[in-house]
Amino acid sequence: MNILILTIIVLFSLSSYYFGRSEARKLITTNKIRLNALPSYYGYYLAVWCGLPALIILSLWSLFEPTIIKILILNNFSNVESKDLFYEQTLSFFNGNFTGEITNDIKIAAERYTSLNNIAYNSKIALLASVLVFSTSYAFKKVKSNNKARDDVELILKGLLFVSSLMAILTTLGIILSLLFESLKFFSTINLFDFIFGTSWSPQRAFVRDASTITPEEYLELKDAFGSVPLFAGTAFIAFIAMCVAVPIGLFSGIYLAEYASTKVRKYSKPIIEILAGIPTVVYGFFAALTVGPFFRSIGESLGLTVSSESALAAGLIMGIMIIPYISSLSDDVINSVPQSLRDGSYAVGATKSETIKKVIIPAALPGIIGSILLAVSRAIGETMIVVMAAGLAANLTINPLESTTTITTQIVMILVGDQEFDSPKTQAAFALGLTLFVATLFLNYIALRVVKKYREKYE
Amino acid sequence: MELKNSNIKIKSKNLNVYYGNKQALHNINLEINNKEVTALIGPSGCGKSTFIRCINRMNDTIDICRVDGSIEIDGKEVNDKNVDVVTLREKIGMVFQKPNPFPKSIYDNIAYGPTIHGIGEKKDEMDKIVETSLKKAALWDEVKDRLNEPGTGLSGGQQQRLCIARALSVNPEVILMDEPCSALDPIATAKIEELIDDLKKSYTIVIVTHSMAQAVRVSQKTGFFHLGKIIEVDTTEKIFKNPANKMTQDYITGRFG
Ligand SMILES: Nc1ncnc2c1ncn2[C@@H]1O[C@H](COP(=O)(O)OP(=O)(O)OP(=O)(O)O)[C@@H](O)[C@H]1O
Ligand SMILES: [Mg+2]
């Protein structure tokens, strides 16, 4: 029903745009007045005034209507046991898909719900219609006397843009806050210190428990389920392997593309490399798990090594390949933006191409290159799918690349798949992990920005 | 006759240059005297830069550029396949229109060339090279206390002198200057001109300029280019007092260009 109302409002405001515009034009041609703004501004002005108030009221109404109706209904049934359950039952009875025992109360509540709904609907229509009429007539009156349609439209646009950015900021803030609150709950059960420095991670051992009743002995056991060191170590380790693959290959191919490749080669090979970034990570994941992992294992076996089929090496290697285009493409761009005059200056004193690249171009492009590498690092840290599929789930604290390891993101996935009690420490641990990951990435970005800025200052 | 010939440092014969299918220089024949300043003038796009870039084979770095004909330095062919461009460019320094110091310290800007050619491997040798180059470029007094600061932090005029010092650091015999003063104010320009006057005692200098007055002030010989052809070459005095060609006359009096 709301869709219909919405359509009507939009159509209304659209037609008032055309109306406003043509009226303004008429004013110009027949009365020979020079208006303060282009005719279309009067159109926009009218459209905004006709549409916006009604839209705001409609959305506010839709936001609060269900809650208000619920309160009104439940007021009459103060004697039922679980109000929420009762209300759920009423709603499903109203919708005709209630399967349990139908009590008298439910019937009465459903009737009341029907009538309230009708009242709400009628009054909504009435309110919206009057708002439309009122705001439209107000706008029409304003347009005749008010010449400043352009300023008002600019103001409204500014407001709209402001609201959009406010929404983005608030969403981010909301996510951070919810991370923070859930993590705080977790840290009220598990000591922050034990979480950060604990070396054993096995959340499946954590039984659901009311935090207030945990005895000290039980806590000792519980804290061993939530030591995050193996996860951070695993994350850093796999990211390190990935960077060992991606940085040299990415940087060298970036240099090749920017300095050596002919325009034709560059034109075709750059998009081809960039395809690597477009392959879904799941595909990389099963490639790593089904091809590369077993391949390493059979090589290892023939050398007499024990290689688990899920290994940090396989995951890191594939992740590195995935990241190559981030580095190559960005460093290619950065190198390309080094001014030609620097190259000329270097060639003119007799430097060869590789000397020029090594001593002039790379240093000049370094801030950008560092930037691209750090971007790649945070991409590697946040990567989940490849690790889930190829590195395993066992939280081993190891630096042997042939063993299986696990990462923060993988464990978050493991904790949250399947049904979870929202209040168990295990679920909250996911938030704590998310928060630490967030803080770590933030820190990384901060360092990156500092490095780049310092470098800039030095050479500008 | 013998004496006059031995004074020629650079000699181009039937030099043609093409960018792709477009011919930029037609049959250039030009002689540049040793330890003298030769000015190249002519309207924009006539091929002055293209010509001086042939002398140190900088056009090699442009994919679509093709050079044929001959350029000799001290009687040796430059365009020969066997010529090592690294040693060629060691012998021929170049200064560009816009100052282009490397994003390195002042010291490292100068040390760059010698390091590449394996000169001055000891620290005190390099210090000496840096000092003499900066002194020759008349920049030493202004920067001697801040050799470790970035070269890009100098003023435009200082940057250009830094680039001249950089060109001098490998002890070239020839210095090519492509409108070295076009980005500078009159005072910085005067300084560079003074410097050029000084440098011509030990170096052969070819300078491209759009300023007639500058050509008169600094050069002994002037070549006038037009549409990729050389119209007239003579002593600077003759070109500016009594040019043989009507076009030269028109150009230097500002009637076209
Ligand atoms: N890299 C290049 N690619 C293609 N054409 C070029 C290139 N460089 C120069 N040209 C062409 O060659 C001709 C001569 O250019 P050149 O730069 O030598 O002129 P110029 O006399 O130095 O001009 P200016 O006084 O403006 O510097 C011009 O027509 C120019 O368009
Ligand atoms: Mg030029």
Side-chain angles (χ1 to χ4, degrees):
Chain A
M1 223 50 224
N2 278 344
I3 304 275
L4 186 66
I5 299 175
L6 199 68
T7 323
I8 290 174
I9 295 177
V10 169
L11 283 179
F12 198 73
S13 116
L14 212 63
S15 53
S16 56
Y17 166 77
Y18 288 109
F19 182 72
R21 197 177 62 174
S22 70
E23 281 300 294
R25 278 195 187 139
K26 234 182 269 167
L27 228 61
I28 296 176
T29 46
T30 55
N31 298 12
K32 304 262 181 287
I33 311 172
R34 231 188 91 78
L35 288 178
N36 201 335
L38 290 177
S40 61
Y41 277 98
Y42 293 95
Y44 288 128
Y45 183 81
L46 276 186
V48 166
W49 263 113
C50 294
L52 204 61
L55 281 180
I56 290 176
I57 286 175
L58 178 64
S59 45
L60 285 179
W61 188 289
S62 315
L63 205 64
F64 291 115
E65 191 192 75
T67 330
I68 292 174
I69 290 184
K70 183 176 170 182
I71 291 173
L72 285 180
I73 290 180
L74 289 179
N75 268 348
N76 289 4
F77 296 92
S78 47
N79 51 345
V80 292
E81 281 171 38
S82 164
K83 289 192 173 183
D84 282 335
L85 181 67
F86 175 71
Y87 192 64
E88 286 301 317
Q89 287 171 338
T90 308
L91 284 195
S92 47
F93 176 71
F94 175 77
N95 289 328
N97 48 18
F98 183 56
T99 47
E101 184 195 348
I102 301 167
T103 64
N104 216 22
D105 274 355
I106 292 182
K107 269 190 194 153
I108 297 172
E111 264 165 33
R112 196 162 155 65
Y113 182 79
T114 319
S115 74
L116 277 178
N117 245 0
N118 279 338
I119 294 173
Y121 183 70
N122 289 335
S123 44
K124 179 162 75 180
I125 299 282
L127 180 65
L128 285 178
S130 53
V131 165
L132 268 183
V133 170
F134 181 76
S135 63
T136 311
S137 58
Y138 174 77
F140 270 86
K141 227 166 77 200
K142 275 293 267 266
V143 162
K144 282 195 187 120
S145 60
N146 177 5
N147 262 355
K148 292 212 181 105
R150 180 159 45 192
D151 295 351
D152 288 353
V153 170
E154 290 294 327
L155 206 70
I156 290 162
L157 270 182
K158 191 173 129 194
L160 228 73
L161 297 179
F162 173 74
V163 168
S164 308
S165 49
L166 197 68
M167 245 145 53
I169 292 173
L170 286 183
T171 319
T172 318
L173 215 66
I175 292 174
I176 294 175
L177 283 182
S178 97
L179 263 184
L180 208 63
F181 281 130
E182 293 299 321
S183 310
L184 279 181
K185 277 193 219 158
F186 175 73
F187 288 129
S188 68
T189 321
I190 306 291
N191 196 332
L192 176 66
F193 190 82
D194 290 333
F195 173 73
I196 292 181
F197 295 103
T199 55
S200 147
W201 176 268
S202 48
Q204 57 282 7
R205 290 215 320 243
F207 29 90
V208 188
R209 177 78 51 91
D210 186 359
S212 55
T213 66
I214 294 177
T215 63
E217 299 88 63
E218 281 170 340
Y219 179 75
L220 276 185
E221 201 178 317
L222 198 60
K223 85 167 206 233
D224 265 353
F226 293 114
S228 66
V229 168
L231 305 190
F232 281 98
T235 305
F237 187 43
I238 291 186
F240 175 75
I241 296 175
M243 295 323 283
C244 285
V245 176
V247 170
I249 298 182
L251 195 54
F252 291 164
S253 62
I255 291 172
Y256 174 75
L257 285 181
E259 291 294 314
Y260 290 94
S262 65
T263 6
K264 212 168 163 188
V265 172
R266 188 158 187 268
K267 197 175 127 204
Y268 290 108
S269 51
K270 206 177 171 189
I272 290 176
I273 293 178
E274 274 162 7
I275 286 178
L276 283 179
I279 297 175
T281 52
V282 206
V283 177
Y284 280 110
F286 65 69
F287 184 63
L290 301 180
T291 315
V292 180
F295 175 68
F296 281 153
R297 191 167 64 165
S298 60
I299 286 187
E301 269 167 5
S302 65
L303 295 174
L305 295 169
T306 42
V307 183
S308 82
S309 61
E310 292 174 326
S311 67
L313 188 61
L317 191 76
I318 296 297
M319 197 192 278
I321 290 171
M322 180 192 79
I323 285 170
I324 288 172
Y326 285 81
I327 296 180
S328 75
S329 201
L330 272 174
S331 48
D332 171 38
D333 290 345
V334 172
I335 289 171
N336 253 317
S337 65
V338 173
Q340 179 63 30
S341 66
L342 287 185
R343 294 184 182 89
D344 285 345
S346 173
Y347 293 140
V349 291
T352 63
K353 200 157 193 169
S354 67
E355 283 165 343
T356 304
I357 291 170
K358 203 169 67 194
K359 296 188 168 177
V360 175
I361 295 178
I362 303 269
L366 204 59
I369 292 175
I370 291 177
S372 71
I373 290 177
L374 285 168
L375 188 74
V377 171
S378 59
R379 185 78 180 74
I381 289 178
E383 172 52 38
T384 316
M385 214 56 210
I386 294 177
V387 194
V388 171
M389 296 174 81
L393 307 168
N396 294 329
L397 190 55
T398 174
I399 52 157
N400 179 356
L402 305 177
E403 274 182 51
S404 69
T405 39
T406 194
T407 64
I408 299 171
T409 49
T410 314
Q411 286 307 312
I412 294 179
V413 173
M414 290 331 294
I415 287 174
L416 294 183
V417 286
D419 286 336
Q420 292 299 334
E421 303 85 355
F422 204 67
D423 274 341
S424 77
K426 196 174 150 194
T427 313
Q428 288 160 357
F431 284 92
L433 285 178
L435 184 68
T436 28
L437 194 63
F438 173 69
V439 170
T441 326
L442 204 66
F443 183 68
L444 204 73
N445 286 350
Y446 174 73
I447 296 283
L449 284 181
R450 282 291 296 270
V451 169
V452 169
K453 201 167 152 227
K454 213 163 164 196
Y455 204 87
R456 284 242 170 87
E457 274 166 6
K458 206 166 146 203
Y459 286 130
E460 263 173 10
Chain B
M1 192 65 198
E2 189 60 46
L3 198 82
K4 203 187 165 223
N5 265 345
S6 70
N7 197 33
I8 293 173
K9 182 78 181 170
I10 304 167
K11 183 171 182 180
S12 81
K13 273 187 287 186
N14 295 331
L15 189 75
N16 290 292
V17 180
Y18 309 82
Y19 290 109
N21 294 325
K22 193 173 149 259
Q23 186 161 8
L25 289 180
H26 303 259
N27 274 325
I28 302 296
N29 291 296
L30 187 64
E31 290 171 357
I32 288 162
N33 293 335
N34 196 19
K35 305 211 171 150
E36 232 185 61
V37 179
T38 304
L40 305 181
I41 58 171
S44 194
C46 66
K48 307 175 298 286
S49 300
T50 303
F51 177 74
I52 67 166
R53 288 166 61 91
C54 287
I55 300 175
N56 64 346
R57 297 226 344 222
M58 278 296 277
N59 285 326
D60 288 10
T61 62
I62 298 172
D63 285 338
I64 56 166
C65 186
R66 189 163 57 81
V67 178
D68 67 39
S70 137
I71 287 198
E72 287 174 1
I73 295 185
D74 296 329
K76 272 190 234 116
E77 179 59 46
V78 165
N79 286 331
D80 203 273
K81 279 270 179 296
N82 299 326
V83 170
D84 176 25
V85 283
V86 171
T87 32
L88 177 73
R89 289 179 192 157
E90 187 181 353
K91 211 155 84 175
I92 306 171
M94 188 162 192
V95 177
F96 297 85
Q97 177 169 1
K98 250 176 62 193
N100 56 350
F102 300 134
K104 298 171 181 294
S105 69
I106 294 172
Y107 186 97
D108 289 341
N109 261 283
I110 311 290
Y112 183 79
T115 316
I116 276 172
H117 297 288
I119 313 166
E121 272 160 359
K122 290 204 198 79
K123 174 87 170 99
D124 53 334
E125 277 173 28
M126 187 58 88
D127 288 351
K128 193 78 209 144
I129 293 175
V130 171
E131 186 178 336
T132 30
S133 308
L134 284 170
K135 273 183 175 157
K136 280 188 203 158
L139 189 60
W140 175 251
D141 290 333
E142 287 159 66
V143 300
K144 63 169 181 268
D145 300 322
R146 45 176 180 147
L147 292 177
N148 289 321
E149 282 172 33
T152 41
L154 297 172
S155 76
Q158 288 172 327
Q159 285 188 19
Q160 195 60 301
R161 276 179 284 149
L162 180 66
C163 293
I164 293 175
R166 183 175 72 194
L168 297 176
S169 66
V170 288
N171 254 322
E173 296 164 14
V174 180
I175 302 172
L176 309 173
M177 297 183 166
D178 195 350
E179 303 178 39
C181 300
S182 65
L184 305 181
D185 70 24
I187 294 169
T189 301
K191 271 210 164 118
I192 304 253
E193 286 178 6
E194 211 175 292
L195 178 61
I196 291 172
D197 223 37
D198 213 37
L199 290 173
K200 75 161 188 276
K201 287 175 205 139
S202 1
Y203 304 93
T204 304
I205 295 173
V206 184
I207 180 171
V208 172
T209 177
H210 277 289
S211 153
M212 301 304 124
Q214 183 170 60
V216 173
R217 282 194 299 263
V218 300
S219 71
Q220 286 72 55
K221 190 173 183 179
T222 297
F224 172 59
F225 280 70
H226 182 56
L227 294 178
K229 299 196 176 82
I230 190 136
I231 306 296
E232 190 172 354
V233 201
D234 217 318
T235 60
T236 302
E237 204 183 331
K238 174 94 180 357
I239 292 272
F240 284 94
K241 284 225 176 99
N242 185 20
N245 193 296
K246 175 84 170 44
M247 269 205 275
T248 318
Q249 171 80 40
D250 287 350
Y251 182 70
I252 58 172
T253 51
R255 242 167 282 164
F256 83 94

